[in-house]
Amino acid sequence: DLGKQVKIRSQLEQALIHAIERNEFEVYYQPQIKAGSGKIVGVEALLRWHNPTLRWISPATFIPVAEHVGLIRTIGYWILTTACQQLKQWQTIGLPSLRLAVNVSPLQFADPDLTSSIQTIIKDSGINPAQLELEITEGSLMWDMDRAIKVMKKIKHEGVDLAIDDFGTGYSSLSNLRHFPLDRLKIDQSFTREIGKDKDATEITLTILTMAKRLGMRIIAEGVETAEQASFLRKNGCDEFQGFLYSRAVPADQITQLLSESQDSSKHPML
Ligand code: C2E
Ligand code: MG
Ligand code: MG
């Protein structure tokens, strides 16, 4: 009932306020796989929250709450810092150059200090900005297109790449995309899931692939769970995959292991 929901929500807000100081957040990493070679070419940083009383709670649920209570700036800064330090460490131990994708929520994107935060974090961690990619959603772009373009140009000016996440779920159209300085388009998992099952969704996926290519963007498909999906996507020009077929998001030590193995093996057996 409503009373119970309000109580849970307020518990969640209270718990979030203390999450950083109590060290409850952890960044997990999910590999991004090159379609042709089957090698890991990037990772996406995904936030996990270990709270003793709330147990497992998805970032899709608590990020909007963090936005609501004004914590997203602090949390966002922490994620970006942690992930960039990790990237630097991979470089230090001699792993091949890798792309790091970090999600930026609409409110973070609207924060006037976003670009200067990015600058500071890049400088302090000592990473190469060309290895960093920010994932923004259609919601960030459509609110105020002119402002979005300005912010994106500033980020690009820092040498950082930009990707559009969950593409196809919002209200932006493919033709709108040409206005934005985007490097990569992530096909949402709701399309990937329907490949070969639903005719319309499959057609839409093909259209997205063709249009994104024409607009000069690279394409990555999210939620790739089966070899059939991977094979369809590869055949139709999708550059990269991300999904459970290869690996879930895993803690830093596990991804480091996967990265070293990927460097050694010529190809992942599943692909
Ligand atoms: P997203 O950025 O689109 O991330 C992809 C989500 O799909 C992740 O869920 C990932 O674990 C999940 N996923 C990956 N492969 C598969 C697959 O093959 N099948 C299925 N069913 N799912 C797959 P996760 O980690 O729960 O994150 C959910 C959303 O929360 C993210 O969607 C993103 O919007 C947001 N989020 C996560 N971490 C952060 C963060 O650090 N900052 C911000 N602002 N948002 C974040
Ligand atoms: Mg993402
Ligand atoms: Mg997504």
Side-chain angles (χ1 to χ4, degrees):
D1 60 68
L2 198 62
K4 201 171 164 194
Q5 278 186 29
V6 171
K7 196 165 162 238
I8 293 173
R9 169 79 179 214
S10 117
Q11 274 179 337
L12 188 65
E13 289 178 6
Q14 278 307 312
L16 258 182
I17 289 170
H18 300 291
I20 286 197
E21 68 198 48
R22 290 180 185 158
N23 261 323
E24 292 175 355
F25 286 133
E26 185 177 1
V27 180
Y28 275 37
Y29 300 88
Q30 186 179 32
Q32 300 181 323
I33 312 298
K34 184 125 209 126
S37 68
K39 292 217 176 204
I40 303 178
V41 284
V43 293
E44 178 176 6
L46 292 160
L47 187 60
R48 295 292 177 263
W49 182 16
H50 309 288
N51 181 279
T53 44
L54 293 164
R55 298 218 204 112
W56 162 250
I57 172 162
S58 162
T61 307
F62 69 77
I63 294 278
V65 180
E67 291 195 315
H68 182 77
V69 296
L71 283 172
I72 196 62
R73 192 197 267 198
T74 315
I75 295 176
Y77 198 90
W78 182 86
I79 299 160
L80 198 56
T81 306
T82 308
C84 287
Q85 288 170 348
Q86 182 61 64
L87 182 66
K88 183 68 192 178
Q89 209 198 323
W90 286 324
Q91 191 197 322
T92 310
I93 62 171
L95 289 174
S97 170
L98 189 74
R99 189 176 69 237
L100 168 71
V102 180
N103 293 286
V104 170
S105 73
L107 263 186
Q108 279 177 278
F109 189 75
D111 177 1
D113 293 334
L114 177 68
T115 322
S116 66
S117 301
I118 296 169
Q119 268 175 348
T120 309
I121 294 169
I122 289 173
K123 195 163 146 278
D124 291 352
S125 61
I127 64 152
N128 173 3
Q131 283 176 261
L132 181 61
E133 181 169 273
L134 299 183
E135 294 191 1
I136 54 181
T137 52
E138 291 167 72
S140 294
L141 302 184
M142 292 306 139
W143 189 252
D144 178 346
M145 273 178 64
D146 291 336
R147 185 188 174 273
I149 292 168
K150 279 197 194 114
V151 176
M152 290 170 85
K153 282 188 176 156
K154 269 169 80 182
I155 295 172
K156 293 282 317 159
H157 186 74
E158 297 302 321
V160 173
D161 274 358
L162 287 166
I164 182 149
D165 203 356
D166 306 336
F167 186 77
T169 58
Y171 298 102
S172 59
S173 64
L174 274 164
S175 65
N176 256 337
L177 284 189
R178 70 196 151 86
H179 300 297
F180 303 107
L182 286 161
D183 302 283
R184 196 177 316 276
L185 181 146
K186 296 191 84 172
I187 297 181
D188 188 67
Q189 29 186 293
S190 56
F191 295 106
T192 310
R193 203 178 299 136
E194 297 301 327
I195 287 172
K197 283 194 205 151
D198 182 273
K199 197 167 161 285
D200 289 345
T202 311
E203 279 304 319
I204 294 172
T205 307
L206 282 176
T207 310
I208 296 175
L209 282 163
T210 316
M211 277 284 278
K213 276 263 132 84
R214 290 217 179 128
L215 293 172
M217 281 184 264
R218 313 286 291 167
I219 309 154
I220 179 164
E222 295 190 279
V224 178
E225 294 185 355
T226 69
E228 291 72 35
Q229 291 163 352
S231 130
F232 174 91
L233 287 160
R234 189 189 298 108
K235 206 167 61 200
N236 289 291
C238 186
D239 304 294
E240 291 173 22
F241 312 132
Q242 185 179 339
F244 296 169
L245 176 65
Y246 194 93
S247 168
R248 287 173 184 262
V250 294
D253 56 339
Q254 281 182 46
I255 194 84
T256 307
Q257 180 78 28
L258 274 178
L259 289 170
S260 328
E261 285 165 11
S262 168
Q263 189 184 5
D264 302 337
S265 68
S266 58
K267 200 170 177 177
H268 190 267
M270 300 293 282
L271 300 163

